[in-house]
Amino acid sequence: MYAIDELPDEGLLGWQERALCAQTDPEAFFPEKGGSTREAKRVCTACDVRAECLEYALANDERFGIWGGLSERERRKLKRRAV
């Protein structure tokens, strides 16, 4: 057992191992143009690392797929509002 301050460093992308999308069909998160994003967004809603995922996508200018529960278009809007 580790004390809370002795936990091993999971690294910068360690959150990805805890992401619910890692346990589901990846195709749902990268739908064809015009395809439904509903299934992916439903998974994101219940995910504990949703905020880290969205932060990563925004910081790395991810242009495809559902990240942190948002589509590429929704992330662009969010970035414009933040500027």
Side-chain angles (χ1 to χ4, degrees):
M1 282 290 190
Y2 294 100
I4 193 75
D5 59 342
E6 297 174 339
L7 288 173
D9 184 15
E10 66 177 12
L12 293 176
L13 299 179
W15 59 268
Q16 289 181 341
E17 293 177 12
R18 299 188 324 273
L20 289 179
C21 61
Q23 304 163 30
T24 60
D25 180 9
E27 289 186 26
F29 293 87
F30 296 92
E32 295 291 322
K33 186 171 180 124
S36 176
T37 60
R38 187 175 303 140
E39 181 185 343
K41 288 180 175 187
R42 183 180 51 76
V43 171
C44 291
T45 299
C47 187
D48 290 339
V49 295
R50 182 177 178 181
E52 291 93 330
C53 180
L54 180 57
E55 184 178 321
Y56 173 85
L58 293 171
N60 291 282
D61 199 27
E62 287 291 342
R63 297 188 182 258
F64 301 100
I66 305 301
W67 290 81
L70 300 181
S71 68
E72 194 269 334
R73 179 182 295 153
E74 292 166 328
R75 291 191 304 275
R76 274 196 321 255
K77 274 186 184 177
L78 184 64
K79 279 184 114 170
R80 278 195 301 260
R81 283 194 304 232
V83 173

